[in-house]
Structures are given as structure tokens and as C-alpha cells.
Amino acid sequence: MASGSGLPDSLVLEIFLHLPHKAVLSAGFTCRQWFAVSRDEFLWKELFYNYYCIPRSVPCHPAAESWYREFKRLYDCIPCVEVQTLKEHHDQVLHLAFSHRGHRFSSCSKDCTVKVWDTERSDGTISLVHSSSMRQFNWGYTQFSQFNADDTLLLVSGVYLGPHHSSSGEIAVISLENYTLLSRVRNKPYDVFGCWLNETHLISGNLHWIGNMTSCSVLWLNKAFQDIESENVNVVKRLFKIQNINASTIRTVMVAHCRRHDSPDLLLDYEAQSKAQAQRTQHHQPLFFDLGNTDSEEEEDEDEGGEKRGEKRVSAHPPSFNPPGIQHVIHGRQSIAAHERELETKVARLMGSRRTKAPDPNLVSPSAPGEGEDKTYLLFTTGSLTYSPHQIGIKRIMPDQMTTCGPVLGEERSTDEFFDSLDHVIDIHGHIIGMGLSPDHRYLYVNSRAWPAGCVISDPMSPPPIAEEIDLHVIDLKSLKEERRSLRAHRAFTPNDECFFIFLDVSRDFVASGAEDKHGYIWDRHYNICLARLKHDDVVNSVAFSPADQELLLSASDDSTIKVWRSPRMVRLAEAPQHPPRARKLLSCLAAEVLI
């Protein structure tokens, strides 16, 4: 290397500040002086904020080693490179779920199969291990799956086809030791999905209508398998019985174990990021960064897809024509129906207020420092204004409720208490279409399509129109407050009455979601920016990070494929020769690593 260029460091730094990061890295290998300047922290701080368009008020990630390493993390460690496409499914792929160890994952599809895949092959590829068809049990399709805590059992949720074309749901439990079916549990409505409470017990739902607009949701705790002692031991126990009004129902149950709240996996600067998002939304321009996975053809496909879906939505609801002579008759019948629904809602509220167990505010209050009390919350979507799910309901599960032993039908209630109250409710003010927990269960991420600002719901059977933009809300489960609503880039086009679930997933540093615009999206959780989008040929229904390596991501689509995405860093390491490079090639290899 040359000893130097003769230019003072301050001048070299000033020049580097006007160069893109790749040019800075290349120039750094000219001489020792330039190399030292090219690693300057002030330089990389400026490059970082300018390249990612992050407000200066947002601090560096608390776990970052340096600005240079932080820039490289966001640029080089995002799983945005497609390395494999799995085509074993023959219809729309609806959901993906990793095991807790990350060595397996499962997939559910409209082809009515649940498949289990291996991620630990020596060549780095993913292979199919097992496939089970649920058609023999009269299922229409599989829609959701989840591994239990020790990865020995797989919960599979699907749509059960009943008589007279009615559809309910069912949950199956499959042993991962020999792939035998251990039990089946009825689940209604089917989009309750179900979830594990612990290694051996799962939660299901049942719905009872007690009026035209009023119903009762019962949440059950079920033993995962019925052993030889089932005749003498409870295998099912009622957890909660909750009244629903305005045609709403409880859906999408999940369990959050809040014992890890004292050491969150992320620190957020909400105020600064909220201001930054407000500035960006004024221009309606989501941020994207070129990580080598987009091109002009992709932009054209997106425009064509959006136009086609827009035309489909319009044609699905053609304008109706009614002769003027019967307008007053139709209006009168609608007025009577609306009055009856309003009256039923008032009666249901009155009945519920008198026959509902009083809430205990201490159940969801933060534990005192050093108290060491574990808290388990049941989270679900619900609503009180319309049938569209627009609220997050929170109900604490007490330690004595985590087993099927003991009272079965809630004898602990008094004779006047018929329903359980919700411990806490968070209104999202929009149609909820997805939820996901952070790895430490501190934050709940919620996909929703917002209602118009200031809208008033006069008829619960006619919810407000929903936005095409999907907002990704963040709720802190320690304070039970929504911290921000600022992650936006993905879109959905279906109207309110056809809206479907889009699954999201959260890793230590990133959050990802599918969308109806034929892409998956990845955001950084700390800096609150969209980093990449992942292309499919149709709607992306689900994404999943490997819990063992967040640089591995899966995406599932209506195009019947599962795509495997790895980070540029992992792809480069996989392609590198196994033997160590020669000494004279060490510098060139290092340069290639930092430039890619």
C-alpha cells in the first residue's frame, strides 16, 4: 500500500462525504490513510442517515457496535435474495410456521394438506419431510398451524365442511415423532384459528347465537391428546364465556407469556419516529431501498396488478336500480331493521352489564419491580361497533386456569354472573387483518386497514369503507398502549366484506408481512423503515422468520409457491470456497465482502 496521498484527513473526509457508500469502500483500499478515513464513525453516521432517510433525532440502535456495522447490518443482513422456490403445494399457500428451534417449518394450503419441511440439510436447501391430507376428515382446506413449545406436537387449524354447505372449523393435533393424529377439536368460527397455551394444552373456540345480533363466544382449554385415563380425567375445560354484540365474534386467539418484559428485545424512540412518519405520509411516498431485488419490470407488474384488482372490486358491486315507486317501501323496511338492531344492542348491553363478572384492574397492571410474577395474556380480535374485527381484546389467564383439572363449567361464578368481562380493550379504528408477537412477547404488531377519519357507524351490518393501505400498529403489552402507527408500505384491495387475513411475523430486528400487491415486505423495527420487498406472482398470504436465524425468511403466496429468502451475506458465505483463502488474496476477499 502507498503511504498516503498527501491530502489532509479533513479534506479526504469532506470528499468521502459526497460519495456513495460503495465508492467510499472502494476508495478505502487505495492507501492506509484513506482506509482509516473510510472507517470514520462520523462519516458512516452521515452516510447512514442520508441513505436510509432517517431523521437525525432517531438514535442509533442500542445494540449497535458502530455506525459502519449498523449500515452493513441493514444493507447486508436483510433476507431479500431468493434462493429456492418450493412448489409441492397445488393450490394457494395460506400460512407458514417455524418450530421453536428453527429446524422445521409447516405450511397450510387450499389443497387441504399440511406439510412439514426440513431446514437443516447439509447443502443448505429445504426439503419436504411429511405431508398429511385432511380431506378424509371432511375438511375444505388447512389454514393455520403452530408448533408446541418443545416442538413435539403440531396444531393444525382448518375449515370443516358441515351439512347443508355450512362451514365451521376444526383443530387437529399431530405427533411430530411419527406423524400420527392424536386428537381433533371443533373450532367455531374457523378463524379463531386456535393456539397452544403450553406444551400439552391448546385453546379453541365455540360460538352460540343468542339473538339476531348478539352471540356468546366460549373459549375452551383442551388436552392435546386423550390418553387411557380420559374417562376419569377432564380433557376439556371452559376458560371464558364472553358476550358479543353487533354481530361481532371473537377471532384470532393467541397467547402472550409476559415473563420476559423486564428485558425487552427492542428499545424504541416513538416520538421521533412518529414525527418522521407524519412528514413522510404528507407526500404518500413509502421508503424503499435497492437491495438488488427490484427492477423496472417489477414496477410494471405492480401497476398492472393494482389496476386489475381495482377493476375487480368495482365490478363486484354494480350500482343497483330500483323503481322510484318502491323507494319509500325499501327505506321504511331498512329503518325498521335498523331500529330492531339498535334495540337488540341496547338489550344485550343491559343484560351483559348485569350478568358479567366485574373486571379486576389489577389483572393487567404492570408487576412491581422485583415482584417476579409471570403473566399470561389471551389476545384476540373482537368488536363492539360492527361485525368487522376492530378491537384487540385482552384477558389474563390465571395459573389455576392452565390445566383441565378442577371445575369444568365455571362453578366459581356466582349465580348472577353469566359472562366474563374483558380485562382490557384496544380499539384500532380499522379492520384488523393480521397479528404477530415479537420474540420476547413484549410487542404486538397488528395489520389493519383504517376506517375514514371521523367516521360514525350507524349500522353495525354496514361497516365503514376500508383503506387500501395497510397500517402496521405496534402495541406495548407491558403498558397496554399503542405506541405508534407508522409502518406502512403494503397494500390490500379487497372490500370490507371480502377482507381476509394476511399473516405477519416478527424477529429480533425485523418485522415482515404479506400483501395483496404480490409482494412481501420487511421493515426494521428500531428505525421504522421499509427495507425490502419480496416479489411473488400473486397475493402473499404469510411470511415467517426462522427463530434460529433472522437472515432466513419464508413467504407463501396464492401462486401456490413458498419462496425461501436469505440475506446477501448468507448467500455469499454459502458460495464461498470451504478452504481458507490464500494470504495474498485476503485483502481482495475482504474488499469483495464489504462492497457487495
Side-chain angles (χ1 to χ4, degrees), residues 493-509:
F493 307 107
T494 50
N496 210 336
D497 57 346
E498 299 177 10
C499 197
F500 57 87
F501 217 70
I502 295 179
F503 294 94
L504 57 94
D505 197 27
V506 190
S507 70
R508 184 187 68 247
D509 295 323

Side-chain angles (χ1 to χ4, degrees), residues 518-591:
K518 305 181 183 181
H519 291 86
Y521 290 83
I522 304 176
W523 294 264
D524 182 81
R525 294 177 59 197
H526 176 77
Y527 298 107
N528 198 24
I529 53 176
C530 187
L531 293 168
R533 57 183 183 177
L534 318 172
K535 184 180 179 181
H536 273 269
D537 294 329
D538 210 330
V539 172
V540 178
N541 297 307
S542 178
V543 292
F545 287 101
S546 168
D549 181 8
Q550 66 175 356
E551 296 181 45
L552 168 62
L553 177 73
L554 307 172
S555 59
S557 171
D558 278 359
D559 62 16
S560 304
T561 68
I562 301 170
K563 289 192 176 184
V564 183
W565 308 84
R566 295 188 183 271
S567 68
R569 185 183 73 90
M570 293 301 296
V571 172
R572 193 167 58 251
L573 291 175
E575 295 174 348
Q578 298 299 319
H579 55 82
R582 298 178 182 178
R584 64 176 180 268
K585 293 184 179 181
L586 181 60
L587 184 59
S588 61
C589 291
L590 179 61

Side-chain angles (χ1 to χ4, degrees), residues 147-421:
F147 290 79
N148 69 341
D150 57 8
D151 293 334
T152 59
L153 304 174
L154 181 66
L155 176 155
V156 183
S157 175
V159 175
Y160 176 83
L161 301 178
H164 309 295
H165 305 288
S166 64
S167 63
S168 182
E170 195 169 70
I171 296 172
V173 177
I174 298 175
S175 168
L176 293 174
E177 180 180 358
N178 52 16
Y179 301 106
T180 56
L181 180 66
L182 300 179
S183 63
R184 293 162 57 198
V185 176
R186 189 58 58 88
N187 186 47
K188 182 180 180 181
Y190 57 80
D191 52 1
V192 169
F193 293 125
C195 65
W196 290 105
L197 177 61
N198 50 40
E199 289 87 347
T200 56
H201 291 81
L202 60 102
I203 296 174
S204 65
N206 200 0
L207 181 68
H208 306 280
W209 288 99
I210 53 180
N212 184 42
M213 301 280 291
T214 308
S215 64
C216 173
S217 289
V218 182
L219 298 173
W220 297 91
L221 181 63
N222 307 268
K223 208 171 181 182
F225 48 88
Q226 297 183 6
D227 48 34
I228 196 170
E229 300 177 353
S230 296
E231 294 183 0
N232 302 315
V233 179
N234 297 332
V235 296
V236 62
K237 177 181 178 180
R238 191 176 76 187
L239 272 179
F240 306 117
K241 189 173 186 178
I242 298 171
Q243 184 195 43
N244 308 307
I245 60 173
N246 287 328
S248 173
T249 62
I250 286 178
R251 311 173 185 180
T252 321
V253 297
M254 60 175 55
V255 171
H257 298 286
C258 302
R259 55 183 174 270
R260 289 164 282 183
H261 276 178
D262 292 334
S263 56
D265 62 354
L266 181 69
L267 297 177
L268 300 170
D269 184 355
Y270 302 115
E271 182 178 357
Q273 297 182 7
S274 297
K275 292 180 180 178
Q277 180 62 21
Q279 295 174 359
R280 289 199 293 269
T281 52
Q282 290 177 358
H283 301 88
H284 303 284
Q285 291 293 333
L287 293 176
F288 296 102
F289 303 98
D290 182 10
L291 300 181
N293 66 327
T294 61
D295 52 34
S296 59
E297 293 181 359
E298 185 175 357
E299 297 292 340
E300 293 173 1
D301 291 343
E302 179 186 9
D303 294 339
E304 292 175 3
E307 182 180 357
K308 290 178 180 178
R309 287 183 174 270
E311 292 172 358
K312 180 179 179 181
R313 182 180 65 176
V314 172
S315 62
H317 299 278
S320 59
F321 173 79
N322 295 309
I326 63 170
Q327 284 293 340
H328 69 284
V329 178
I330 296 176
H331 179 73
R333 291 180 62 87
Q334 291 175 344
S335 300
I336 294 173
H339 177 72
E340 290 177 350
R341 289 195 290 264
E342 183 179 355
L343 182 61
E344 180 179 336
T345 298
K346 290 181 178 179
V347 172
R349 287 185 185 275
L350 181 62
M351 183 181 70
S353 64
R354 294 184 175 182
R355 304 193 65 187
T356 298
K357 190 175 181 179
D360 184 354
N362 296 323
L363 290 179
V364 292
S365 60
S367 301
E371 184 177 347
E373 181 184 4
D374 295 348
K375 290 187 176 181
T376 301
Y377 292 149
L378 183 67
L379 312 174
F380 46 84
T381 65
T382 183
S384 61
L385 302 176
T386 174
Y387 69 85
S388 296
H390 59 93
Q391 294 173 328
I392 305 295
I394 301 176
K395 185 69 180 172
R396 186 177 176 189
I397 304 176
M398 303 304 291
D400 60 347
Q401 295 175 307
M402 296 187 184
T403 174
T404 54
C405 299
V408 177
L409 295 178
E411 287 85 345
E412 68 278 3
R413 295 183 182 86
S414 69
T415 55
D416 294 332
E417 294 173 342
F418 191 72
F419 301 112
D420 292 289
S421 62

